[in-house]
Amino acid sequence: MRLGAPSYWSFSLPRRCGTGKPLSGSRAMAEDLVLDTAIRDWVLIPLSVVMVLIGVLRYFVSKLMHSSQTPDTKIVKEGQVILRARNLRAGANFIPSKAFQTRKIYFCNEENGLLFVPKGQVQNPQAQMFSDPNMAMDMMKKNLSMIIPQTLTFAWVNFFFSGFVAAKIPFPLTQRFRSMLQNGIDLSTVDVSYVSSRSWYFLNLFGLRGLFSLILGEENAVDDTQRMMQMGGFGFDPSKGLSAEKDNLDITQHDWALPNFEQRAEAVLSKVIS
């Protein structure tokens, strides 16, 4: 159904229910609205197929544009330190108190602790990214591989398929879903379960990760939601991770779980045997 195209609409007089009263106008329109099969063949199916093909093409283009970089030894070292500190917190209760306190000082000492970051050494992640041309170029490539196809596809959908009602969801929805499912259609009398072509584009844009995981693999699936979140949080600062792990280790309370361990094991075994 396209707004302004009468051949795609099907109206009839309001039917009467068992009480003899006519149905309201919105309910009558929702029940008597008939979608042309040509919309399914020339709008719904082509739009879905194009979105899948563009997602696969974006994956291969981004793979060709990806350049391998040598990892920074400092970042790798800091990541290993954070991992060791997390393992210490996870197994703190299985070592004696003296051993835990020694390791805690080794990590959290204010002078030379591995997790202690002096204030003068805190780096600005954005300045670090712009100082490295390779990092900035990779970020630009990732953004272009996502923004350009989305812009062109949305312009194509908005130009050729604007105003179509492409499908109908087979279950009732509340009025809160109207703005999400009927983007581009300014008719409050149309039932909420009808989906416009523009809304179908956005649903495919953010909801095809499961299909891409089947086609490309779980690790290679294209997730536009995750990429948009990465665009807002570029320039990871490892010093923040060190400081956060230091705070977590400082507040960790030691409660040794091994006193009288042999007696408790003997009691458990005796219960099992008996």
Side-chain angles (χ1 to χ4, degrees):
M1 183 196 72
R2 184 169 186 172
L3 302 184
S7 60
Y8 292 157
W9 288 83
S10 175
F11 294 103
S12 62
L13 294 176
R15 293 180 294 177
R16 296 178 178 271
C17 57
T19 59
K21 296 181 180 181
L23 297 174
S24 60
S26 59
R27 185 178 176 184
M29 179 179 289
E31 292 183 355
D32 298 334
L33 188 63
V34 178
L35 300 180
D36 194 347
T37 56
I39 297 179
R40 177 197 60 195
D41 300 334
W42 298 101
V43 178
L44 185 65
I45 296 178
L47 185 58
S48 303
V49 173
V50 167
M51 292 299 297
V52 174
L53 294 179
I54 289 178
V56 175
L57 181 62
R58 281 172 47 198
Y59 163 71
F60 287 106
V61 170
S62 61
K63 190 174 182 180
L64 292 175
M65 297 174 61
H66 179 71
S67 59
S68 59
Q69 293 182 354
T70 304
D72 191 356
T73 55
K74 182 179 179 181
I75 296 178
V76 174
K77 182 179 178 180
E78 291 176 348
Q80 294 296 324
V81 170
I82 294 176
L83 183 61
R84 290 170 57 190
R86 289 178 181 175
N87 292 334
L88 176 61
R89 288 193 295 110
N93 297 331
F94 297 98
I95 60 176
S97 177
K98 184 177 180 180
F100 173 73
Q101 294 299 331
T102 303
R103 289 168 172 80
K104 184 176 180 180
I105 294 173
Y106 176 70
F107 281 104
C108 302
N109 187 15
E110 296 293 339
E111 296 180 358
N112 54 0
L114 296 181
L115 296 176
F116 177 70
V117 180
K119 295 183 179 180
Q121 296 183 5
V122 178
Q123 298 179 356
N124 188 356
Q126 297 182 1
Q128 182 182 2
M129 186 193 71
F130 287 112
S131 63
D132 188 359
N134 295 326
M135 186 183 300
M137 184 62 66
D138 289 340
M139 182 64 66
M140 185 184 302
K141 290 179 181 179
K142 292 180 181 179
N143 294 339
L144 290 178
S145 64
M146 180 184 68
I147 295 175
I148 293 179
Q150 289 183 2
T151 304
L152 296 178
T153 309
F154 180 75
W156 171 67
V157 172
N158 195 35
F159 182 78
F160 289 100
F161 305 120
S162 179
F164 280 101
V165 174
K168 184 180 186 297
I169 297 178
F171 48 85
L173 296 173
T174 60
Q175 294 294 327
R176 295 183 178 181
F177 291 90
R178 183 177 298 277
S179 60
M180 182 179 67
L181 297 180
Q182 295 182 359
N183 193 320
I185 298 178
D186 298 329
L187 284 178
S188 59
T189 56
V190 179
D191 188 38
V192 184
S193 58
Y194 287 95
V195 184
S196 65
S197 58
R198 190 183 299 178
S199 297
W200 184 254
Y201 160 76
F202 286 109
L203 292 176
N204 283 273
L205 181 64
F206 298 107
L208 289 177
R209 176 174 171 79
L211 181 60
F212 288 139
S213 63
L214 295 176
I215 299 175
L216 306 174
E218 183 65 28
E219 298 180 355
N220 300 324
V222 180
D223 191 354
D224 291 304
T225 307
Q226 184 178 2
R227 288 192 176 185
M228 287 185 177
M229 293 175 63
Q230 291 177 355
M231 288 177 60
F234 63 89
F236 172 71
D237 188 4
S239 60
K240 294 182 179 179
L242 293 175
S243 301
E245 189 62 33
K246 179 180 179 299
D247 296 337
N248 293 332
L249 191 58
D250 282 333
I251 63 176
T252 301
Q253 300 295 330
H254 181 268
D255 185 13
W256 195 21
L258 299 182
N260 302 324
F261 178 75
E262 296 180 356
Q263 289 79 1
R264 287 187 294 168
E266 183 180 357
V268 172
L269 289 176
S270 62
K271 291 182 180 179
V272 173
I273 295 174
S274 61

